Amino acid sequence: MKKIYTALVEGIRSSLSSNGFSSALLGLSGGLDSALVATLAREALGKENVWGVFMPSPYSSTESREDAKELAQNLGIRYDMVPISNCFQTLKKELAPIFGSSPEGLTEENMQARLRGIILMSLSNKFGGMVLTTGNKSEVSVGYCTLYGDTCGGLSVLKDLYKTEAYKLSYWINEHFDKPVIPIRTLTRSPSAELRPNQTDQDSLPPYEVLDAILKLYLEKKKTQDEVIQAGFEPSVVKRVLGLVNKNKYKQMQIPPGLPLRHLID
């Protein structure tokens, strides 16, 4: 884990410097990925050069709010809260004549993510600082992200790190700092985008242990669908995961550049 940690920290520092940036900002969700990216950025740039922004929607939990603020306090970085609820309601109202009686669903979930992207990019334009994207390789590979929403930014820090690896690195960081910086609840709560009531990632995806194992065989080992199934995975799950990978290539191509890590892991 130390090699991965060092590579990510140095990668953030080098990427920003080569593009003329000395500071960074990111959305803090109260979840694992944004907590990990904020921690890495603080180490790379110094606490005075990292800005975390919590942007609660109508579905954001109290736990997320508390964990995001606790993380920022632990890291000593700037923290601001910019709610999106009013913007979200206004956008829905303006679109209501066109949407008509269509039920709310994925469109409204993506609207929230895109509003957050607008806020982060506006702060970047106004005050400087590169926006860091926080999506991991598991999510990016299957398209579990919103174009022009949580994919906004200049550097995708975890683009080559699977979710299970992000957990391992986060636990390692907490063990090797003088005191834990990533809130324990962030590490133990079920991951959720919180874009609808009672949402969890596993509503849309297999458990990350299963998802990542399938993705590694398919993406890293170049196994065929049949070979992945023969490795012992449920055929229907394999077909669904690989179907998501292949139909979301247009998203994968639009994710900001990332930091290569596979040579340190495999």
Side-chain angles (χ1 to χ4, degrees):
M1 286 294 115
K2 184 177 181 181
K3 289 183 178 179
I4 298 171
Y5 175 79
T6 300
L8 287 170
V9 168
E10 293 180 352
I12 292 171
R13 186 182 297 127
S14 175
S15 294
L16 267 67
S17 176
S18 64
N19 285 282
F21 289 88
S22 59
S23 62
L25 65 152
L26 71 157
L28 295 182
S29 67
L32 174 83
D33 296 326
S34 63
L36 177 55
V37 171
T39 303
L40 294 165
R42 194 281 299 265
E43 184 68 14
L45 306 171
K47 64 183 181 181
E48 68 279 4
N49 293 314
V50 181
W51 185 1
V53 186
F54 181 62
M55 296 166 283
S57 78
Y59 309 114
S60 297
S61 66
T62 300
E63 290 84 357
S64 292
R65 185 188 306 260
E66 293 172 349
D67 289 352
K69 187 173 184 178
E70 180 183 344
L71 172 81
Q73 290 173 338
N74 290 345
L75 295 175
I77 64 174
R78 177 175 176 177
Y79 170 85
D80 282 282
M81 182 170 68
V82 183
I84 65 168
S85 295
N86 290 341
C87 295
F88 181 43
Q89 295 304 325
T90 298
L91 185 54
K92 287 200 295 182
K93 180 180 178 181
E94 295 299 325
L95 289 171
I98 301 173
F99 283 2
S101 59
S102 299
E104 289 196 13
L106 183 61
T107 298
E108 285 72 22
E109 293 181 34
N110 286 338
M111 284 161 58
Q112 295 168 70
R114 291 185 175 118
L115 285 169
R116 289 174 172 140
I118 290 172
I119 290 168
L120 290 175
M121 293 307 300
S122 297
L123 294 175
S124 174
N125 289 161
K126 181 67 69 173
F127 300 107
M130 179 183 284
V131 175
L132 301 179
T133 304
T134 62
N136 58 71
K137 186 165 187 172
S138 309
E139 296 169 348
V140 169
S141 296
V142 296
Y144 191 64
C145 52
T146 302
L147 281 181
Y148 326 119
D150 55 348
T151 58
C152 280
L155 178 66
S156 182
V157 177
L158 306 182
K159 189 176 183 178
D160 207 17
L161 199 69
Y162 291 104
K163 185 75 168 189
T164 51
E165 295 166 346
Y167 272 109
K168 291 177 183 178
L169 181 57
S170 297
Y171 277 109
W172 182 89
I173 287 172
N174 272 0
E175 291 170 0
H176 286 77
F177 273 58
D178 293 336
K179 62 178 182 178
V181 292
I182 299 175
I184 299 302
R185 188 167 57 187
T186 297
L187 295 168
T188 57
R189 278 202 302 149
S190 297
S192 171
E194 293 189 333
L195 297 174
R196 64 174 184 265
N198 303 313
Q199 182 183 27
T200 67
D201 290 3
Q202 263 57 78
D203 296 338
S204 304
L205 302 172
Y208 280 112
E209 293 80 5
V210 175
L211 176 63
D212 288 357
I214 292 172
L215 290 174
K216 287 178 183 179
L217 286 175
Y218 187 64
L219 299 175
E220 317 299 337
K221 305 300 183 183
K222 306 302 180 183
K223 300 297 184 181
T224 65
Q225 177 175 284
D226 288 343
E227 287 173 330
V228 176
I229 292 172
Q230 290 168 8
F233 296 97
E234 177 65 36
S236 62
V237 174
V238 173
K239 292 176 182 178
R240 181 161 69 93
V241 169
L242 301 193
L244 288 171
V245 171
N246 292 319
K247 82 173 187 178
N248 282 289
K249 292 186 181 298
Y250 75 101
K251 279 190 179 183
Q252 298 158 15
M253 294 173 63
Q254 297 183 66
I255 303 298
L259 303 173
L261 295 173
R262 302 325 299 170
H263 65 291
L264 296 176
I265 298 172
D266 297 328

